[in-house]
Amino acid sequence: MGDISGDDFATIFANSIDGEHRSSPIGVADVEWNGCAWSAKTIKDKSPFAKSKVRLISGRNSPDYSMGIDDPHADINETGKAVLSIWNSRLDEALDEHDDLRIIVLVRNIDTREFLLFEEEAQRFVPGEYAWSYNKRRNLQGLHKQSGKHIFTWQFHGSQFTIFRDVPSSSRRFRIVPDVPTLSEAGILEAMKFTTDWIGILQ
């Protein structure tokens, strides 16, 4: 059984709802259906069933390019606010085109054929509710001021923005049993009633 990439998952999900998978997504919307949109994420993990929190890579947010912050170290709280403002702007752009925007997440272990699936509404963040500091790797981490929970990480090198989300209790956990039959290449060709005259050799 081959692995499942983010593009594979978005295509599978789009096909399951008769939606459209944007091959070149604009902003955060990967899949569209009937006025709604989803950002599709997939995560490899050894124990999907035991997962209580996930780390979602949510694009590259560059305060330099988008907000004119030349030195992101000069005031890290302002940098953090700018990173969240970029995220919020991307959500606003998606919601200008769609009635709803959701995030769907597949956590997978292909070796054990175990999967966890959940979706939730995409969330805007109020920049003033978070405090920013350096972590051990000298990246920025955003903590919720009231709860103290670690919600974001932003990397100076590459501008990668990560959001940490709790796995909801409504998540679906499922396993593909090992003895599910698979089709060989020969079996697929036979089912298609393939004959060699389908192909014309030009040279």
Side-chain angles (χ1 to χ4, degrees), residues 75-127:
D75 186 333
I76 59 174
N77 278 297
E78 286 302 313
T79 298
K81 288 179 181 179
V83 168
L84 295 186
S85 293
I86 295 167
W87 167 259
N88 290 340
S89 294
R90 290 176 179 168
L91 261 63
D92 290 341
E93 289 172 3
L95 289 168
D96 282 343
E97 299 181 9
H98 305 92
D99 299 327
D100 190 18
L101 176 64
R102 302 184 65 79
I103 296 174
I104 185 164
V105 180
L106 177 73
V107 185
R108 71 197 192 281
N109 184 332
I110 296 299
D111 293 333
T112 61
R113 302 189 181 193
E114 294 177 341
F115 303 88
L116 180 148
L117 180 70
F118 71 90
E119 69 166 313
E120 60 184 9
E121 184 178 0
Q123 182 181 350
R124 292 184 181 88
F125 300 104
V126 179

